[in-house]
C-alpha cells in the first residue's frame, strides 16, 4: 500500500477548516508580498498523538501567517547649504520654461487625401 497524500489528511482536520484557513492565508500572503514587497511565510504545524489503545490518532493542525513588514514611508529630499531638506535640488539650475498654446496653431496631416 502506498502512502496516502498528506493533503487528504489535512482536509480531514477540523472538517476541512484547517486547509481552507491555510488557503486563505496563502492568498493574504501573496497579496501582501505583491503590494509591499519583501517576503513572508506560512508555517503549518501538524501534531499527531495516540488517542486510544485501539489505534486511533488525534491529528491537530495549526497555521501561522507571517506577512512582510510594511515598508517605511520615504521621500527623496535634498539638503540646502543651511541644512534644510527640500524637494528640489538646490544645485540644479532652474529653467525658465513657458507653456505654448497649441490650440491657436492649425493641425496638418501628412499625405491627407
Amino acid at each position: 500500500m502506498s502512502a496516502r497524500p498528506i493533503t487528504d489528511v489535512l482536509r480531514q482536520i477540523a472538517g476541512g477548516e484547517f486547509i481552507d484557513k491555510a488557503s486563505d492565508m496563502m492568498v493574504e500572503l501573496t497579496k501582501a508580498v505583491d503590494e509591499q514587497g519583501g517576503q513572508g511565510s506560512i508555517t503549518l504545524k501538524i501534531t499527531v498523538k495516540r488517542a486510544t489503545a485501539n489505534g486511533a490518532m488525534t491529528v491537530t493542525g495549526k497555521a501561522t501567517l507571517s506577512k512582510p513588514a510594511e515598508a517605511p514611508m520615504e521621500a527623496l529630499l535634498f539638503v540646502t547649504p543651511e541644512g534644510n531638506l527640500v524637494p528640489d535640488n538646490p544645485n540644479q539650475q532652474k529653467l525658465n520654461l513657458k507653456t505654448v498654446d497649441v490650440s491657436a496653431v492649425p493641425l496638418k496631416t501628412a499625405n491627407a487625401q
Side-chain angles (χ1 to χ4, degrees):
M1 177 177 191
S2 64
R4 185 173 176 209
I6 191 170
T7 52
D8 290 351
V9 176
L10 297 179
R11 176 61 60 196
Q12 298 299 314
I13 299 173
E17 287 183 43
F18 173 71
I19 200 163
D20 290 343
K21 180 180 177 182
S23 298
D24 291 343
M25 285 181 173
M26 185 67 186
V27 170
E28 187 177 347
L29 176 60
T30 303
K31 287 180 179 179
V33 170
D34 185 45
E35 292 170 3
Q36 301 171 7
Q39 67 181 21
S41 64
I42 299 172
T43 302
L44 302 179
K45 181 179 179 182
I46 311 300
T47 305
V48 180
K49 69 178 179 179
R50 188 178 302 218
T52 63
N54 64 357
M57 301 284 179
T58 300
V59 181
T60 306
K62 181 177 180 181
T64 307
L65 173 63
S66 175
K67 292 195 284 188
E70 287 192 31
M73 294 183 219
E74 60 183 33
L76 180 61
L77 301 172
F78 298 90
V79 76
T80 66
E82 298 81 23
N84 295 316
L85 293 172
V86 295
D88 297 318
N89 186 345
N91 299 319
Q92 180 73 39
Q93 179 181 4
K94 304 287 186 243
L95 299 175
N96 187 18
L97 301 175
K98 296 179 182 172
T99 304
V100 176
D101 183 16
V102 293
S103 62
V105 180
L107 298 176
K108 296 182 181 180
T109 305
N111 297 329
Q113 297 178 348

